[in-house]
Amino acid sequence: MPPRGKSKKPSRGGGKHFSRGLREQSFGDDAPEGVVVPEGADKESGPWRQRRASVSSSSSEASGSGRDSDSEADDAPRPPPVATANPNRDAPAASSGMPTLSRREREAMQAAAAKERYWKLHEQGKTDQARADLARLAVIRKEREEKARQRKAEMEAKAAEQDAKVHARRR
């Protein structure tokens, strides 16, 4: 037999009913309209009531109708906040003149500086890689010079052969 209602499939697990137990409650002239509170809550219970009351009293004081009990509690002098020193906090950036960098930025700057130092040494030939490169280049230069000498000798030999042929034909 098909389920009744507007859905054609049976619902599993049901829905969430967050606002099932809420009702509208009027608090008189000082509360905003449409305030919804839980069913079992009293007017004076809970810290959210105190916040709502202080907000509504400050708004009603601005409109001209304030409650004396709340205004006396709000006007009471409060002690200044206690200044605590956090040893893990960095020193302020203004004292050093430079902004403090994050660990990632500081490591990136150190890596860039190390890379620059390495390439300066590399250009001077003081690193192991530079020495190996220079040795390899020296071997390549020798091979190229040897091949150039061989080509030059072959060209001279060919030129000598051609001269010999030309002289042989003339005779």
Side-chain angles (χ1 to χ4, degrees):
M1 182 167 183
R4 293 185 181 185
K6 65 180 184 180
S7 68
K8 295 184 180 180
K9 286 186 168 182
S11 62
R12 294 181 181 91
K16 293 181 173 53
H17 307 288
F18 292 116
S19 60
R20 176 178 278 174
L22 299 180
R23 61 177 167 79
E24 273 194 42
Q25 186 165 351
S26 62
F27 294 103
D29 297 337
D30 61 330
E33 291 187 24
V35 173
V36 179
V37 295
E39 292 241 359
D42 293 351
K43 183 178 176 184
E44 292 81 18
S45 67
W48 68 275
R49 291 256 181 229
Q50 294 168 356
R51 274 188 262 127
R52 186 196 51 76
S54 66
V55 169
S56 65
S57 68
S58 64
S59 64
S60 64
E61 285 175 8
S63 64
S65 63
R67 292 188 292 190
D68 293 335
S69 63
D70 284 343
S71 62
E72 289 173 5
D74 290 340
D75 292 339
R78 293 184 180 174
V82 178
T84 59
N86 185 353
N88 296 325
R89 185 173 178 197
D90 291 337
S95 65
S96 65
M98 287 183 54
T100 57
L101 301 173
S102 68
R103 178 185 58 85
R104 192 173 285 173
E105 292 170 339
R106 189 174 58 248
E107 287 176 357
M109 287 181 60
Q110 289 172 350
K115 195 177 219 182
E116 192 172 328
R117 282 193 306 271
Y118 175 80
W119 283 110
K120 283 182 181 177
L121 291 173
H122 188 79
E123 288 174 356
Q124 296 171 1
K126 295 183 179 179
T127 63
D128 293 336
Q129 184 179 0
R131 290 184 191 117
D133 290 345
L134 291 174
R136 190 171 58 247
L137 287 173
V139 170
I140 291 171
R141 282 188 189 127
K142 286 182 182 178
E143 289 176 356
R144 287 181 182 172
E145 288 174 4
E146 190 65 35
K147 287 181 181 179
R149 282 189 210 129
Q150 288 177 356
R151 279 194 301 264
K152 189 174 182 183
E154 289 174 2
M155 295 287 280
E156 289 175 357
K158 281 185 180 181
E161 282 180 31
Q162 286 179 354
D163 285 342
K165 285 183 183 179
V166 170
H167 287 298
R169 284 189 192 166
R170 285 187 189 173
R171 285 188 204 176

